[in-house]
Amino acid sequence: MKKKIGVLPGDGIGPEVVAEGIKVLDAIASRFGHKFTYEYALVGAAAIDETGNPLPDETLAVCKRSDAFLFGAIGHPKYDNDPSAKVRPEQGLLKLRKELGLFANIRPVTAYDSLLHMSPLKVDRIMGVDFVVYRELTGGIYFGEKGRTEDTAYDNCTYSYAEIERIAHLAFKAAQNRKKKLTLIDKANVLETSRLWREKVTAMAKEYPDVTLDCMFVDNAAMQMIQNPKQFDVVLTENMFGDIISDEASVIGGSMGLLPSASVGNKTAMFEPIHGSYPQATGQNIANPIATILSVAMLLDHLNLIDEAIEVRQAVNASLRNGMVTQDLSKGQGFGTDRVGDFIVNHILDGEASGSQNNIQVGLSTII
């Protein structure tokens, strides 16, 4: 199989972790006889520094002509710490999502048995946790009208039936392939947009009689995510709530460096770790590449390379079981970013990634 992969390393640790993801893709190509060609492009602070634009037209073109693309991270202190900056790295990511119609962000959350001791939560609360968050990605308050007067500011939150319906269908279908439970997280006791979400999703539930729909206010959901995360299967929510809830959920596994994500639309898909640019670690070879490597597994699922995706996940599990991890998962005594990547690559090339499938993250093909 021949596929074109766009590569947007971005800022901070983005280039370092993406490099490990590319090594894994190369290993998969070598073992299974595929050919992946890569086209690199600028985004975020790196793009601003070179072009003045956080999302140059050429970067958008690269993404449009790719079968899928791998994204690193964006953000830099010189913009993060300057609230008056008119051009910001995040503008590039928001525009990318909007221009490509990437309306659904999918974030699997798994508690790995070998890492339960790393979580700040009690083992009995997190053992067996396995759920996925469906976050609407191109609507809501992040994309609403914004403005300021001399002493006030406003951000409008707007949703339509169509925006809710398209991601809700994906979430319901995912639930049908999992434990058949869908939890809608909203704030319907206060927000009109949330009442629209609840109205639409409740009506749609009749189309999926085998799925149990549960509705939960976001403040309660934030508490339940810590008290009893095992109750969740598929979580559906709007843009801002999804941003917050999924980051909270990342703590369950012990590190943000473990969580991959896919952003999908009607034409293309983007795959990225959720951890951000982590500028303090840039260039130190300590960044955890596993979230990016698991994002590569989701990318392979998207290309319908299911066996290949399983190999990647099993290799990651072998890495975790053998303690081949970065310092965020080893109380400061870990291996370098490149060493972890090399271990996973060697497992794939040697065909040794065949151990237990316990806690292998659910593939994108069963999510959508």
Side-chain angles (χ1 to χ4, degrees):
M1 177 180 285
K2 296 181 179 180
K3 293 293 180 181
K4 295 180 181 179
I5 310 297
V7 185
L8 280 59
D11 307 323
I13 63 171
E16 297 170 61
V17 294
V18 163
E20 302 308 310
I22 296 299
K23 282 162 53 174
V24 168
L25 279 170
D26 286 341
I28 288 293
S30 175
R31 181 171 170 191
F32 289 87
H34 303 309
K35 182 176 178 57
F36 300 135
T37 56
Y38 308 110
E39 191 170 9
Y40 285 75
L42 294 168
V43 72
I48 296 174
D49 290 344
E50 187 159 327
T51 71
N53 184 348
L55 182 66
D57 291 342
E58 176 56 23
T59 298
L60 198 57
V62 166
C63 296
K64 288 180 177 179
R65 61 178 173 253
S66 299
D67 294 298
F69 62 101
L70 189 62
F71 188 97
I74 57 169
H76 192 283
K78 65 182 176 182
Y79 301 103
D80 298 341
N81 299 329
D82 181 9
S84 65
K86 300 299 183 185
V87 180
R88 310 181 64 83
E90 294 77 14
Q91 293 168 346
L93 181 56
L94 293 176
K95 183 179 178 181
L96 187 65
R97 293 169 178 169
K98 200 72 172 180
E99 289 287 334
L100 297 177
L102 304 175
F103 65 85
N105 183 242
I106 304 166
R107 297 185 175 187
V109 179
T110 300
Y112 292 90
D113 290 346
S114 58
L115 296 177
L116 296 179
H117 65 287
M118 294 299 300
S119 175
L121 304 182
K122 294 180 179 179
V123 170
D124 63 331
R125 293 189 179 183
I126 64 172
M127 185 178 291
V129 164
D130 176 19
F131 64 89
V132 59
V133 178
Y134 274 70
R135 168 192 171 192
E136 200 288 324
L137 204 57
T138 57
I141 198 167
Y142 291 173
F143 288 92
E145 183 182 353
K146 309 174 189 304
R148 296 190 67 164
T149 64
E150 185 175 345
D151 57 357
T152 63
Y154 61 90
D155 298 273
N156 291 343
C157 182
T158 304
Y159 271 107
S160 67
Y161 266 159
E163 288 173 312
I164 297 167
E165 182 178 43
R166 61 186 180 181
I167 189 172
H169 275 306
L170 294 183
F172 273 114
K173 290 174 183 176
Q176 286 181 315
N177 290 321
R178 292 175 52 93
K179 292 176 282 189
K180 303 187 186 305
K181 180 181 178 181
L182 176 64
T183 301
L184 173 66
I185 294 177
D186 61 29
K187 193 62 177 171
N189 57 334
V190 175
L191 301 177
E192 197 63 40
T193 49
S194 283
R195 285 190 275 273
L196 186 72
W197 270 84
R198 187 167 294 205
E199 174 187 314
K200 183 62 174 175
V201 173
T202 300
M204 291 176 63
K206 298 175 184 177
E207 302 176 43
Y208 301 91
D210 56 332
V211 176
T212 299
L213 174 63
D214 179 31
C215 298
M216 190 178 293
F217 294 148
V218 65
D219 43 353
N220 181 37
M223 179 177 66
Q224 295 293 328
M225 196 71 68
I226 301 302
Q227 289 187 327
N228 182 22
K230 286 187 282 190
Q231 70 182 282
F232 297 106
D233 179 25
V234 176
V235 172
L236 171 64
T237 191
E238 59 100 65
N239 203 342
M240 184 171 69
F241 295 161
D243 190 1
I244 297 167
I245 285 290
S246 58
D247 277 7
E248 180 190 16
S250 72
V251 174
I252 293 171
S255 172
M256 255 189 158
L258 292 172
L259 264 67
S261 78
S263 297
V264 303
N266 295 321
K267 296 180 180 179
T268 189
M270 175 175 75
F271 301 86
E272 63 173 317
I274 76 160
H275 51 57
S277 62
Y278 192 15
Q280 303 92 325
T282 302
Q284 298 183 44
N285 197 31
I286 62 173
N288 189 342
I290 287 179
T292 298
I293 292 170
L294 289 172
S295 296
V296 165
M298 296 181 80
L299 184 154
L300 292 168
D301 279 322
H302 175 70
L303 298 178
N304 202 33
L305 300 176
I306 308 305
D307 290 341
E308 291 86 336
I310 289 173
E311 287 290 341
V312 173
R313 293 188 176 97
Q314 290 180 337
V316 166
N317 270 297
S319 177
L320 298 177
R321 288 196 308 270
N322 286 278
M324 180 56 70
V325 295
T326 46
Q327 66 177 24
D328 56 312
L329 294 174
S330 60
K331 301 187 184 299
Q333 300 297 317
F335 295 89
T337 305
D338 54 353
R339 287 284 304 279
V340 174
D342 288 343
F343 182 94
I344 292 170
V345 163
N346 289 333
H347 249 266
I348 293 169
L349 292 176
D350 294 342
E352 295 176 353
S354 59
S356 167
Q357 294 193 31
N358 181 36
N359 282 337
I360 293 176
Q361 300 208 32
V362 64
L364 188 62
S365 60
T366 63
I367 291 175
I368 295 180

